[in-house]
Amino acid sequence: YDPMGYFGKLQGRFRSEVTDPKLNPDDAVRPLPLLIEKILGASEQLPESWPVDGTTGYDLGAALLGLWIDPAGEETLSAVHRDFTGERRPYGAIVHECKLRTLESMASEVNMLARLLSRIASENRNWSDFTLIALTHALRETLASFPVYRTYVRADDGVSDKDARLIKTAIRAARLRSATLDPSVFVFLEQVLLGRASDSEPERAAMTHFTMRFQQLSGPIMAKAVEDTAFYRYNRLLCLNEVGGDPGRFGTSIERFQAQNRERARSWPLAMSALSTHDSKRGEDASARIAVLSEIPTEWRQVVARWSRKTEPHKRPVGDAGAAAPARRDEYTFYQALVGAWPFGWDGKQGRDDLRARLVAFMQKAAREAKLETSWNRPDEDYEAGLRAFVEGALSDDGFMVDVAQWSERIDIAGATNALAQTVLKLCAPGVPDTFQGCELWSQSLVDPDNRRPVDFAARRTMLSRIMARSDDPAGLSRELLATWQDGALKLYVTHAALRTRARLPEVFRAGDYEPVDGGEHVVAFARTLAERRVIVLVPRLTLSLVNSAGRWATGDVWHDATVELRHGVYRDVLTGRRHQAGPTLRLADIFADLPVALLVDDGAP
């Protein structure tokens, strides 16, 4: 109801009444480290007035994943999706449809709001003629048109310019969708939400209360409609359908990512940096692998067509109308989910039963969440049986499985490179990195409960012990782990080395400046600097189109004569032990000579 008030009260319980002159001013205001589970819209900023340290990381995770999406593939991949599924509506139209459906299931909450609004109208002779039906309709359409989860109007602060813009945007969209409703109803609703419908103090208090209850409802409507419905109906590229992301926005530019990081370093240096959470729709490395499809959309069109032909014997008519199971939308979801969940380097033989069971459960959940052919409240047993038979049949079909295994080799290393790159960026970007359980190694899980499966921590401890025993030989260790990358120990090593670097130079990562480094369209790079200490992060992107061949890492001569400009000095790569002299340029072929990611520290570092 009042997040700002809640955060203030929470911090107040921990705030010392006697101010310590040595205390950092921020620590005096925010004595309790506080991270909030807040999903930010594409252009939404966390209010800097809130006494919190940032979010739990959905915003950074979505931006990181978007780096691996090739914008050149958008038009073709959109056409593939449209032609295969028959879905021609834009993502925004699907979200609006899902919001209206969600509002039907929350009718009592909407009716309560409508009665509050009607009471306000009845107290003012200018608005007293509005019927409850008209007010309810206006409310529904405005809630369905809201561009973000919620605004943050409160009694003590009034309406900010940002919140006013959001309210006006929603009202304008709702009015355009309601041609038969008297426009003055929307004028009234806008004035109430902006606190301008009356000069009477009691009436203004009633309007503020209404607005705060309105805000309290718009958030869960967005969550249920978007994350729990639209994400399962619109499947142009599944890795974009992630909490904190926007499936209608095709990836993240390097410039946007750098700008977001600079803002995090300035305003939220202690925010959480996360790739996977309890709420993720896919494991971080499953998404990194699916992202590769954006680099080869024409080839993907051919693959989908071939797989659809091969699985034809496993489709069957269901229901009185004899519609096919699965629906084309669910079939397209299945192929992408299979690409993401297919273990790196797997031949499709041993462990097939496990993958089959996981995908059967995932596809049932995906179909129920979409709420079209079946749903949680009204499951269609006939359709679900057909869907299950399709998944089990396809994943028991040797011909199909051989095809998937052979084609998966084509994108394996590109997907693993994306996964390593996003791990390094998460660990070194502004913020405090978090590793979700099991993600120390490759994480190609699907939505919960798949990402809650038991984690083999004993195996991870054994791997880590071997890594630590070889810490004095980073060159040899990194080469060995790259040669056996499929087991995930390489990701664990990169995580371990980056965290050790953070532990050695904590203030550089906590309070250091953030400086973007220009590495061209195939490199994401930045420097963290504090006084004379300097850490430089460099990772590749869109590597399948860069190397233009399967089974090759983006290392060595792949980079030809490309260079990156750095400050003069000698740098040591903590991942490989290799030393580099910047004067002021460095060849990318040298930086990525041994590994496709680099973490450079100025040579004076311990």
Side-chain angles (χ1 to χ4, degrees), residues 548-569:
N548 200 29
S549 63
R552 185 174 184 188
W553 294 95
T555 55
D557 61 4
V558 162
W559 298 96
H560 305 292
D561 295 325
T563 62
V564 64
E565 187 170 328
L566 302 176
R567 190 170 69 185
H568 281 275

Side-chain angles (χ1 to χ4, degrees), residues 136-409:
T136 303
H137 181 93
L139 263 177
R140 283 171 48 83
E141 278 297 343
T142 302
L143 285 163
S145 300
F146 228 74
V148 295
Y149 279 73
R150 58 168 293 168
T151 48
Y152 293 93
V153 177
R154 59 195 305 263
D156 294 344
D157 304 324
V159 184
S160 68
D161 291 342
K162 181 181 70 174
D163 283 346
R165 286 193 297 271
L166 292 169
I167 291 168
K168 290 177 180 179
T169 296
I171 292 288
R172 188 182 308 116
R175 188 169 58 237
L176 289 172
R177 290 188 172 108
S178 307
T180 60
L181 192 64
D182 183 350
S184 62
V185 178
F186 289 103
V187 173
F188 167 64
L189 177 56
E190 180 178 300
Q191 293 299 300
V192 169
L193 291 171
L194 295 175
R196 300 172 185 170
S198 174
D199 293 328
S200 162
E201 199 58 43
E203 289 181 8
R204 288 175 68 88
M207 287 186 285
T208 300
H209 173 64
F210 168 82
T211 300
M212 294 176 76
R213 295 301 298 267
F214 177 95
Q215 293 170 158
Q216 200 175 15
L217 181 59
S218 66
I221 288 171
M222 176 76 88
K224 291 178 180 295
V226 174
E227 300 159 42
D228 297 340
T229 310
F231 275 8
Y232 294 93
R233 291 189 182 186
Y234 184 83
N235 56 0
R236 175 175 61 166
L237 187 61
L238 274 189
C239 60
L240 294 174
N241 298 22
E242 194 53 82
V243 180
D246 180 358
R249 183 189 293 269
F250 204 76
T252 309
S253 68
I254 294 177
E255 293 75 18
R256 182 179 177 85
F257 176 73
Q258 301 284 27
Q260 183 171 323
N261 273 349
R262 294 187 82 159
E263 175 60 22
R264 280 172 66 90
R266 183 185 72 83
S267 302
W268 311 107
L270 297 181
M272 186 181 289
S273 302
L275 286 168
S276 294
T277 74
H278 67 289
D279 243 358
S280 296
K281 303 303 182 186
R282 270 153 294 281
E284 59 199 51
D285 304 323
S287 289
R289 202 158 185 259
I290 294 171
V292 179
L293 302 181
S294 69
E295 298 185 60
I296 48 172
T298 300
E299 181 178 337
W300 174 241
R301 180 195 291 274
Q302 298 165 352
V303 169
V304 170
R306 186 173 71 244
W307 287 356
S308 188
R309 289 193 301 271
K310 284 180 176 290
T311 58
E312 190 66 35
H314 309 297
K315 303 167 189 174
R316 72 185 202 191
V318 296
D320 295 337
R328 296 284 277 185
R329 181 202 63 259
D330 287 341
E331 185 181 354
Y332 197 55
T333 291
F334 170 70
Y335 296 139
Q336 292 185 70
L338 183 59
V339 167
W342 190 275
F344 286 125
W346 187 47
D347 63 5
K349 296 177 182 176
Q350 288 188 333
R352 190 185 289 189
D353 289 346
D354 178 62
L355 182 66
R356 186 163 49 230
R358 290 171 56 206
L359 277 161
V360 164
F362 167 74
M363 289 304 300
Q364 181 190 62
K365 177 167 182 171
R368 287 184 176 184
E369 295 282 32
K371 305 172 186 70
L372 292 171
E373 281 74 24
T374 185
S375 68
W376 296 105
N377 292 335
R378 296 181 180 178
D380 185 320
E381 294 181 4
D382 197 14
Y383 179 79
E384 291 185 6
L387 181 61
R388 182 170 58 252
F390 170 77
V391 175
E392 291 177 341
L395 298 183
S396 302
D397 186 324
D398 290 339
F400 175 69
M401 293 293 280
V402 168
D403 190 324
V404 177
Q406 291 176 346
W407 185 79
S408 292
E409 288 186 57

